[in-house]
Amino acid sequence: MFSVLVTIFHLLTALLSIIYVNKGLKKFNSFLYKNADIPEKYKPFRRTDRDNWNRYEMYICSIILFPFRLLLSFAILIFFIMTMFVATFGFKLKNPWPESRLKAFKPLLQTLGKAYLYANGFIFIKEKTLRFEDFIPDYKRTELSKGQPSIIISNHSSWYDTITYVYKYLPSFMSKVTVSKYPLFGWITTSLKSIYVDRESEESRHKCVTDLAERVTQINQGQLFPPVIIFPEGTTTNGECLIPFKRGAFDPLLPVKICCLKYSKRRFHPVMDVIGIGYMTLFALNQFANEVEIIEFEGLFDPTYLNLQKYPQEKRWEVYADACRDVMAKALGINLIEATYRDGMEYQKKYVTGKLKQE
């Protein structure tokens, strides 16, 4: 009986995968998704790898790998939630981790994060450490560069970014408030003591800055709060450029940890741009192998060398942010483009869905 149920589950999930893969392949084969004749500000959100997709690989993986990967991913996710529930049971999330629990559960939770990546086809997880001096000749380390990170900044191109950083650091995240409402994943990010912000609310943005400053103070005082991952671009891109950074991570003018994530473009590039989380996950599950590289800079990036005191107070965070953005772009080997979250929304409406009348 059990073998019959397993067979039925395998056949049904494989069939559903084939149906939606085929639907997605047709949808994203549209000229609208491949149109390169667009303004510069829209290019961070354009899907550029469509001609590299291998439909036969996706169909084969739908039959052989997808049911297994789907079931394994769900099992790991449930085990992670159960472990996190036990790890956080009996103390308030606003309080720091008890040291004994952190030592006991952090390695296990990080291992489960890595296992989830494996289950989603990320067979190759590379890690590389770089030095700031190799990119900034006049950069000088200070005592502050040797401290523990309270803020970690990173580029943002995929929802797998969060899973990768759970494996690497088990951090908190600064994220849009809607993430807290995601089934299962919202509970996880909340349990990780994440800080949420409503981008449309000025009050929420101010509260977010206050909460971040308080968290930084707590970490610097030695309290066992996890570092906060901030994606300063404020949205996801196609991973081929960096757009301007938002103020939040740089407003305190304190040293930050800089990391970058780079996904392989072997065939399907597992990044968000305008493809959406559903199809991105489906196509990633239906590749034989995915690859992510974690690029970590040694120590903290101390803005002392920038001599920020010579700039007006309101400009200092921007000078700091631009310096971080520049070194990250060099490490990733990509360009800087002036664009915003709203440009991404406009691109999707104007060039992809056609709901916004073209000029």
Side-chain angles (χ1 to χ4, degrees):
M1 184 64 180
F2 178 74
S3 61
V4 173
L5 291 175
V6 170
T7 302
I8 292 173
F9 170 81
H10 188 110
L11 292 174
L12 285 177
T13 51
L15 179 60
L16 284 172
S17 179
I18 291 172
I19 290 172
Y20 280 99
V21 163
N22 189 60
K23 183 179 178 182
L25 288 172
K26 289 180 178 178
K27 176 180 180 180
F28 299 117
N29 196 42
S30 164
F31 169 75
L32 292 172
Y33 283 91
K34 297 191 287 185
N35 181 14
D37 185 22
I38 58 175
E40 184 84 358
K41 66 178 182 177
Y42 296 143
K43 290 184 179 179
F45 313 103
R46 183 174 70 90
R47 173 61 56 167
T48 61
D49 65 339
R50 178 59 185 85
D51 292 335
N52 298 333
W53 297 2
N54 188 322
R55 66 168 54 239
Y56 301 108
E57 178 182 6
M58 290 185 180
Y59 290 148
I60 292 171
C61 288
S62 290
I63 296 170
I64 300 174
L65 291 177
F66 180 78
F68 171 73
R69 284 177 170 174
L70 184 67
L71 187 61
L72 183 58
S73 297
F74 184 73
I76 293 171
L77 179 62
I78 295 303
F79 189 31
F80 187 99
I81 290 174
M82 292 171 61
T83 305
M84 180 62 78
F85 178 80
V86 173
T88 58
F89 183 77
F91 74 91
K92 296 180 179 180
L93 293 178
K94 66 179 182 179
N95 295 331
W97 277 92
E99 185 174 3
S100 58
R101 293 202 192 187
L102 187 63
K103 288 182 178 180
F105 288 100
K106 184 177 180 180
L108 175 57
L109 290 167
Q110 288 180 290
T111 299
L112 289 172
K114 190 173 187 179
Y116 191 88
L117 288 171
Y118 279 139
N120 277 249
F122 285 87
I123 308 302
F124 305 105
I125 304 174
K126 300 179 179 180
E127 299 189 39
K128 179 168 67 175
T129 302
L130 302 177
R131 299 170 70 251
F132 292 115
E133 293 86 344
D134 295 333
F135 298 89
I136 309 171
D138 59 342
Y139 181 79
K140 294 182 180 179
R141 293 176 182 269
T142 66
E143 285 300 312
L144 292 175
S145 304
K146 302 174 184 178
Q148 291 297 314
S150 53
I151 297 175
I152 303 172
I153 62 170
S154 171
N155 61 313
H156 194 22
S157 57
S158 174
W159 85 271
Y160 285 113
D161 295 351
T162 57
I163 307 299
T164 303
Y165 283 128
V166 165
Y167 149 63
K168 182 67 177 176
Y169 299 112
L170 196 69
S172 300
F173 294 91
M174 179 178 284
S175 182
K176 58 185 180 181
V177 70
T178 52
V179 170
S180 66
K181 300 175 184 177
Y182 289 174
L184 302 181
F185 290 100
W187 183 88
I188 290 174
T189 55
T190 300
S191 297
L192 288 171
K193 308 177 188 297
S194 294
I195 298 171
Y196 297 113
V197 58
D198 181 355
R199 285 186 288 212
E200 303 303 321
S201 168
E202 185 175 353
E203 180 182 352
S204 176
R205 293 196 298 270
H206 284 307
K207 184 178 184 302
C208 180
V209 171
T210 302
D211 290 344
L212 178 62
E214 181 181 357
R215 182 69 60 84
V216 167
T217 300
Q218 291 169 327
I219 293 172
N220 290 339
Q221 288 174 346
Q223 297 184 45
L224 293 180
F225 283 96
V228 181
I229 292 272
I230 298 178
F231 302 113
E233 292 171 286
T235 188
T236 51
T237 68
N238 58 16
E240 297 181 14
C241 62
L242 281 178
I243 63 176
F245 289 171
K246 302 295 185 183
R247 183 171 189 158
F250 312 100
D251 200 50
L253 301 178
L254 294 173
V256 297
K257 181 82 172 175
I258 296 182
C259 288
C260 308
L261 297 180
K262 191 172 186 178
Y263 296 90
S264 170
K265 293 184 66 174
R266 184 180 64 89
R267 289 197 177 92
F268 173 74
H269 193 198
V271 296
M272 291 280 284
D273 48 62
V274 294
I275 199 173
I277 190 172
Y279 276 114
M280 193 214 71
T281 306
L282 176 67
F283 291 154
L285 285 167
N286 283 310
Q287 282 199 131
F288 286 125
N290 298 301
E291 179 182 315
V292 60
E293 182 177 27
I294 306 170
I295 302 172
E296 179 184 40
F297 277 90
E298 191 177 90
L300 306 184
F301 188 72
D302 184 358
T304 301
Y305 86 100
L306 294 170
N307 295 318
L308 294 175
Q309 64 274 11
K310 70 181 181 181
Y311 298 96
Q313 182 69 37
E314 65 275 9
K315 284 289 184 181
R316 292 176 185 176
W317 77 267
E318 194 171 350
V319 174
Y320 185 16
D322 287 344
C324 291
R325 183 176 171 228
D326 184 64
V327 75
M328 289 171 68
K330 289 176 181 176
L332 289 165
I334 58 178
N335 297 322
L336 304 177
I337 289 183
E338 299 302 309
T340 67
Y341 163 76
R342 296 188 184 281
D343 291 327
M345 297 299 293
E346 186 176 301
Y347 166 70
Q348 187 166 8
K349 292 178 180 178
K350 190 172 184 178
Y351 288 90
V352 178
T353 65
K355 292 181 180 179
L356 188 66
K357 185 178 179 180
Q358 296 194 37
E359 296 173 352

